[in-house]
Amino acid sequence: MDTGPALRAVGEMRPGDHLFHGYATEEEREAVLAAFLVDGLASGHRGLLLAPAQTPPGPLEGLRERLRRQGHDVADALADGRLRVRRPSADPQDLGELVCREAEGTAADGLLGLRVALEASQRGDGAPGGPGDAEKLLGPAFQVLPVIGLCQYDRLAFDARELAALDAPHHGRVVADDIWQDELLRITRTFAPPGLALRGEVDDSNLTAVARALRAETRRAAGRAENPHRARVDLRELTFADVCALRLFVFTGLSLHALGGGMVLDGVAPQVRRVLHAAGWDRVPGLSWGEEREEA
């Protein structure tokens, strides 16, 4: 049975990995890139961003701003060379040689590894000759050097056949890290549409984790140009939520409403809707319902 390409969270990547990330939005692209590079700095690695050829002048400042939007100040790392930006030439062979040189220089500088992020937002960006052509030449570097590779492609810019071809030169695909996971609950970010997804059960043991996730999502929502101060939470795989969790959703919706926005709850279980209705919370301003979940 075909199970599809292997998926690995960006925080689980290890030396020798050469993984592919197909993103749908700029927010998703930046979240995964920031985690990849900042994890590397914490691990004593150098970060190398291979930017598309059409990147505007000032790519270092551009990278600094992108990471700042994700809550990371990397000015020192950019200044001392622990983070670098390079524009690959049009020759795929040069790309493999560039990575090998950077890996050797990283070791000579006393750092513990090299993280390479290849960005290709359009056909031919970063991978001359078409998707995957230059990727094939990177394989030897990941086999013999302490290198971790993340290759990001805009999946809206490539057709399904091209994206499927990118699985061949990679060891699997990358997904964003979970926000929280314990034996009861898993919280993940969603990007299309942006928001959160909760799977499992919410009780008093993980309520604080939900509160932190909602607070972080409201901050991200405030910075979005489209529909600011609007958050969406997918509850289709939430099997239990106690009253304290429901009050937290109501509180968050009211807080966003005060800022001109609100919160949409997708897939609320029918029994939860009945509790919200009995308490009058389904009429709270700032809280609305998205896709419905069918009765089991």
Side-chain angles (χ1 to χ4, degrees), residues 2 10 13 46 78 102 135 144 163 178 257 260 264 269 272 279 290:
D2 184 12
V10 65
M13 294 179 71
R46 169 169 287 148
L78 288 166
E102 288 286 346
E135 301 275 14
V144 301
L163 290 174
D178 290 336
H257 178 72
V264 178
V272 173

Side-chain angles (χ1 to χ4, degrees), residues 134-272:
E135 301 275 14
K136 297 173 185 176
L137 299 173
L138 292 175
F142 296 100
Q143 294 169 10
V144 301
L145 296 167
V147 178
I148 305 175
L150 168 67
C151 300
Q152 296 207 102
Y153 288 81
D154 181 352
R155 65 175 182 259
L156 302 181
F158 299 91
D159 61 35
R161 179 186 57 80
E162 290 172 318
L163 290 174
L166 286 166
D167 285 321
H170 295 94
H171 306 147
R173 296 192 182 190
V174 172
V175 294
D177 291 324
D178 290 336
I179 294 174
W180 172 268
Q181 184 167 9
D182 62 13
E183 63 275 10
L184 293 177
L185 178 68
R186 180 183 179 194
I187 307 174
T188 58
R189 286 182 65 181
T190 61
F191 297 96
L196 301 174
L198 277 61
R199 299 172 176 86
E201 302 179 8
V202 181
D203 62 14
D204 59 355
S205 70
N206 50 36
L207 184 64
T208 298
V210 176
R212 289 173 178 169
L214 287 171
R215 186 170 64 248
E217 178 58 25
T218 57
R219 287 198 299 266
R220 288 190 292 269
R224 292 179 187 130
E226 186 175 348
N227 296 323
H229 301 297
R230 295 192 179 277
R232 182 176 291 268
V233 181
D234 184 344
L235 303 179
R236 283 173 291 188
E237 296 184 50
L238 189 70
T239 57
F240 174 79
D242 64 15
V243 172
C244 291
L246 300 183
R247 292 178 64 187
L248 183 58
F249 293 139
V250 171
F251 175 80
T252 304
L254 283 168
S255 300
L256 288 166
H257 178 72
L259 298 171
M263 184 166 68
V264 178
L265 299 179
D266 281 330
V268 179
Q271 65 270 24
V272 173

